[in-house]
RNA sequence: GGGGGCGUAGUGUAGUGGUUAACAUGUCGGCCUGUCAAGCCGAAGAUCGCGGGUUCAAGUCCCGUCGCUCCCGCCA
């Protein structure tokens, strides 16, 4: 070994010991006669002192050293003078007085600071990802990710889950995200697809009788990126046999409730996790992934304003829509430009406009005030609970638009007014999703979750006649405004499965071609089963306090799905294409 | 596919259409035996992302393009 200790472990108790350290030069401070080197490795920082008086040869070498050189130091652990203890460091009580310094490797001057987490252009970070990963923030995040996965593996092992791998080369599925395809050399013109999730395979593992399965599974979806979406990402995929919905939820809640204090003890959670129906989430927050850290819930004003003389309100109600509002505390003094910004946010979600009512000491202000009666204004104040100084934001439109607009505004106020406790991880479950969604563009029903989702027991009978009335046994885990996991109880009865395919408009032969292996498997004694798949990247992102999953992925891709370090995707040789029977049409 | 933001020494930034493009930091050299983002002195370092255009004059205005980024669509 090149080292006897790490740079993070020396303490006063080691004083007097002869040690060997090895690592990177974090910083060097050269006083001529004495040189201080801050040595860094994964474990931490240790100050090395090289004195011309006691170690002239070592000092000569130390004078040549530059930032990010890889060096090895032999020396004696010394207690620092009392007034020179560095209280910021775990090793700050001591330093190593070097008598030997060896340069193991030199380094070019890095393109950005390693010893400081100061912001750097994203493209530069990604181009030199291996250097970015040396920085404290990324080391912390990647280590946190490791601890999280280790905890999950141990927990699931203790609870009887088996870690089973499933193929990366599998079959394209007709619904869902765009697949990443892999051409077959052996079978000209045929393709594998990289899994969007191991969904079918984990269900087949239940048919196979493993009863409890999990996998830290890489998933691939060829869709455009977001801050919380990468083309390849990692799920904790788990599936259980002989369970009802609450068995799955209870297990995931217990896992997460134990995980958080174990790996991020400074964070707090809600306990128990709130469980609300999909309909309730939409009604109260306007979205199916609410940030539960703060209130500012949507207030329904539809009944109060249905007969309003203000056509924006009454018109929306007459055409089957809603009028709802939120109260922004203390925002009654917002300037015109700020109101315009809020209006743009609402319009960005499809709203035609935004009605704002500023409850000021000298009355209610806002461009719509003149269209509203005294009684209506009073009614709005009562229903919303608006106080003097508050700003009420009202959207009138169809239900989906009202929810989208007000929830976007709610998150805007969250950030502006710092309404959400950054140390709180507000996990919650959203339940009872609709089974089907009407796809107006293609004039057919889509599965809201996926076609293997079991309908809620008491709603199944209505399925063929009225798909919209069917609720599914699907559920999401949400946290701080993100969807962290989705899951469901699965269909294990081939007859119900065929009914679902019928609603989805799959002819029986097509269903058999796409999912025949599933249907056949279910006919050989499939147990009742269900599962869930928390996104590891998003979970670690939230635990780390980051707002982009790039920060918890060692080698992520850009928003354009490229890798700037390796310059990927890239062209391949004509020979490779020919082997794969592929001709480009660009 | 659409929309917004950003792009100026290695890095982070400043820069009313008008001198030699500024500041900090880093880099290099010198001095320095107790610093901890050390200090002091000195030096080098910029085709202002790229290509067009407007103008007597463009880092600055316009068009296009490339890169990064956020959002909408998309994401069973």
């Amino acid at each position: 070994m090149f080292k006897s200790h790490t740079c993070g472990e020396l303490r006063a108790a080691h004083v007097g010991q002869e040690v060997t350290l090895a690592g990177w030069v974090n910083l060097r401070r050269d006083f001529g006669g004495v040189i201080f080197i801050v040595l860094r490795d994964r474990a931490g920082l240790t100050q090395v002192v090289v004195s011309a008086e006691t170690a002239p040869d070592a000092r000569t070498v130390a004078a040549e050293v530059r930032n990010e050189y890889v060096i090895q130091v032999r020396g004696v652990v010394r207690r620092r003078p009392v007034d020179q203890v560095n209280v910021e460091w775990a090793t700050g009580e001591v330093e190593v007085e070097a008598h030997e310094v060896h340069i193991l490797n030199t380094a070019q001057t890095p393109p950005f600071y390693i010893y400081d987490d100061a912001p750097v252009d994203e493209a530069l970070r990604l181009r030199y990802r291996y250097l970015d990963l040396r920085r404290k923030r990324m080391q912390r995040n990647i280590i946190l990710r490791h601890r999280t996965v280790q905890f999950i593996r141990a927990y699931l092992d203790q609870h009887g889950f088996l870690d089973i791998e499933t193929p990366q080369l599998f079959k394209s599925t007709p619904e869902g995200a765009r697949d990443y395809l892999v051409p077959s050399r052996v079978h000209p013109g045929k393709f594998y697809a990289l899994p969007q999730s191991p969904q079918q395979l984990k269900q087949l593992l239940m048919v196979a009788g493993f009863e409890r399965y999990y996998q830290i599974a890489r998933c691939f979806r060829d869709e455009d990126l977001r801050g919380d979406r990468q083309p390849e990402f990692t799920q904790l995929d788990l599936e259980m046999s002989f369970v009802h919905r609450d068995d799955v939820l209870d297990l995931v809640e217990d896992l997460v409730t134990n995980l958080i204090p174990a790996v991020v003890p400074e964070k707090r959670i809600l306990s128990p996790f709130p469980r609300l129906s999909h309909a309730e989430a939409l009604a109260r927050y306007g979205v199916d992934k609410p940030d539960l850290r703060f209130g500012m819930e949507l207030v329904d004003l539809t009944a109060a304003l249905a007969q309003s003389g203000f056509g924006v309100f009454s018109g929306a109600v007459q055409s089957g829509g809603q009028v709802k509002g939120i109260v922004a505390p203390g925002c009654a003094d917002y300037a015109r430009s700020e109101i315009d910004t809020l209006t743009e946010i609402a319009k960005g979600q499809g709203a035609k406009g935004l009605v704002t009512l500023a409850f000021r000491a000298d009355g209610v202000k806002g461009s719509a005030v003149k269209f509203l009666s005294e009684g209506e204004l009073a009614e709005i104040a009562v229903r919303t609970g608006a106080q003097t100084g508050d700003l009420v934001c009202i959207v009138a439109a169809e239900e989906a638009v009202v929810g989208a607009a007000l929830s976007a505004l709610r998150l805007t106020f969250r950030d502006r007014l710092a309404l959400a406790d950054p140390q709180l991880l507000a996990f919650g479950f959203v339940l009872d999703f609709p089974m089907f969604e009407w796809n107006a563009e293609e004039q057919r029903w889509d599965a809201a979750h996926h076609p293997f989702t079991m309908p809620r027991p008491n709603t199944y009978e209505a399925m063929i006649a009225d798909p919209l009335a069917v609720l599914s046994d699907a559920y999401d885990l949400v946290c701080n405004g993100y969807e962290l996991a989705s899951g469901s109880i699965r269909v294990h009865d081939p007859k119900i499965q065929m009914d679902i395919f019928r609603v989805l408009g799959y002819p029986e032969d097509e269903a058999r071609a796409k999912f025949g292996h599933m249907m056949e498997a279910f006919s050989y004694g499939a147990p009742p089963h269900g599962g869930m798949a928390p996104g590891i990247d998003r979970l670690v992102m939230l635990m780390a306090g980051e707002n982009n999953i790039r920060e918890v992925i060692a080698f992520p891709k850009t928003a354009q799905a490229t890798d700037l370090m390796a310059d990927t995707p890239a062209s391949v040789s004509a020979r490779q294409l020919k082997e794969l029977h592929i001709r480009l049409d660009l």
Side-chain angles (χ1 to χ4, degrees), chain A residues 116 312 398 440:
Chain A
D116 186 30
V312 169
E398 61 193 277

Side-chain angles (χ1 to χ4, degrees), chain A residues 278 281-282 285-290 430 433 437 476 478 482-483:
Chain A
H278 180 259
L282 290 183
Y285 302 99
V287 278
D288 59 6
K289 48 180 180 178
V430 178
F433 279 73
E437 289 169 352
D476 280 2
V478 300
Y482 290 92
E483 178 194 312

Side-chain angles (χ1 to χ4, degrees), chain A residues 92-145:
Chain A
E93 263 189 293
V94 299
E95 62 193 5
V96 172
E97 174 158 27
H99 44 73
E100 285 180 44
V101 175
H102 299 289
I103 296 175
L104 301 178
N105 212 343
T106 59
Q108 292 187 58
T109 302
F112 49 81
Y113 304 101
I114 307 299
Y115 61 85
D116 186 30
D117 279 328
V120 180
D121 178 67
E122 196 65 25
L124 204 61
R125 293 180 63 197
L126 293 170
R127 161 109 171 69
Y128 297 96
R129 190 61 166 180
Y130 44 86
L131 295 179
D132 190 40
L133 288 168
R134 276 188 198 168
R135 308 210 297 172
K136 191 173 168 188
R137 170 192 187 181
M138 295 306 293
Q139 292 261 319
R140 180 189 66 110
N141 289 353
I142 297 297
I143 291 168
L144 172 63
R145 183 178 181 129

Side-chain angles (χ1 to χ4, degrees), chain A residues 128-445:
Chain A
Y128 297 96
R129 190 61 166 180
Y130 44 86
L131 295 179
D132 190 40
L133 288 168
R134 276 188 198 168
R135 308 210 297 172
K136 191 173 168 188
R137 170 192 187 181
M138 295 306 293
Q139 292 261 319
R140 180 189 66 110
N141 289 353
I142 297 297
I143 291 168
L144 172 63
R145 183 178 181 129
H146 162 77
R147 295 222 171 96
T148 301
V149 171
Q150 286 302 110
F151 184 97
I152 289 170
R153 288 190 185 282
Y155 178 97
L156 292 176
D157 180 53
Q158 284 159 18
H159 287 75
F161 286 79
L162 301 176
D163 179 353
I164 305 175
E165 294 179 77
T166 55
Q168 296 287 80
L169 297 177
F170 201 56
K171 190 173 186 174
S172 179
T173 47
E175 286 191 70
R178 207 172 288 117
D179 286 313
Y180 277 101
L181 297 176
V182 179
S184 166
R185 173 184 56 82
V186 182
H187 301 280
K190 297 199 172 176
F191 294 82
Y192 304 96
L194 302 180
Q196 297 178 27
S197 82
Q199 182 60 40
Q200 297 181 33
L201 293 154
K202 69 174 170 179
Q203 291 190 242
L204 295 174
L205 289 171
M206 295 301 102
V207 176
F210 288 109
E211 300 198 32
R212 290 189 169 207
Y213 140 94
Y214 85 97
Q215 182 180 195
I216 307 293
R218 189 64 58 86
C219 305
F220 304 85
R221 295 179 189 175
D222 186 6
E223 297 293 348
D224 288 331
L225 281 65
R226 287 287 188 282
D228 61 352
R229 277 163 33 188
Q230 284 270 314
E232 52 180 309
F233 61 101
T234 305
Q235 282 186 346
L236 163 59
D237 193 49
L238 61 86
E239 194 77 7
M240 309 163 76
S241 291
F242 306 111
V243 290
H244 297 108
R245 177 184 78 187
D246 287 353
D247 299 313
V248 179
L249 300 187
D250 290 348
L251 179 109
V252 170
E253 178 165 346
D254 188 62
L255 166 59
V256 173
T257 299
N258 282 285
L259 166 71
I260 299 303
V263 299
V264 279
E266 71 278 13
K267 298 286 187 187
R268 295 184 300 104
I269 58 174
L270 305 174
S271 192
F273 292 178
R275 299 185 183 194
L276 56 168
S277 73
H278 180 259
E280 188 183 357
L282 290 183
R284 292 171 59 189
Y285 302 99
V287 278
D288 59 6
K289 48 180 180 178
D291 189 336
L292 299 171
R293 288 177 295 178
F294 66 108
M296 198 183 275
E297 294 188 14
L298 278 52
V299 179
D300 196 338
L301 302 168
T302 307
L305 298 169
Q307 310 300 324
S308 174
F310 187 31
V312 169
F313 291 162
S314 53
V317 178
Q318 274 161 30
S319 50
Q322 295 181 331
V323 184
K324 296 178 95 170
I326 54 173
V327 182
C331 297
D333 57 348
Y334 266 24
R336 175 61 187 268
S337 63
E338 291 170 302
I339 300 291
D340 287 346
T341 302
L342 297 176
T343 304
E344 286 309 309
I345 290 166
K347 283 182 174 173
Q349 300 298 323
K352 291 199 177 65
L354 177 68
V355 173
T356 58
L357 300 173
F359 284 73
R360 297 192 187 155
D362 58 342
V364 183
K365 307 293 180 189
S367 55
V369 168
K370 57 180 175 287
F371 303 115
L372 296 169
S373 70
E374 289 286 327
E376 284 167 344
L377 288 173
E379 184 71 13
I380 291 169
V382 168
R383 294 201 182 223
T384 61
Q387 306 288 313
T388 300
D390 293 347
L391 181 73
V392 175
C393 298
I394 301 173
V395 175
E398 61 193 277
E399 180 180 357
V401 169
V402 169
L406 288 178
S407 91
L409 290 171
R410 184 172 173 267
L411 297 184
T412 301
F413 287 120
R414 172 194 67 183
D415 297 336
R416 284 198 180 191
L417 306 175
L419 298 175
D421 177 354
Q423 292 298 76
L424 179 60
L425 295 172
F427 293 97
F429 289 112
V430 178
L431 313 170
D432 296 337
F433 279 73
M435 182 80 191
F436 301 103
E437 289 169 352
W438 180 245
N439 184 331
E441 193 177 324
E442 305 193 21
Q443 290 290 300
R444 61 176 169 81
W445 294 100

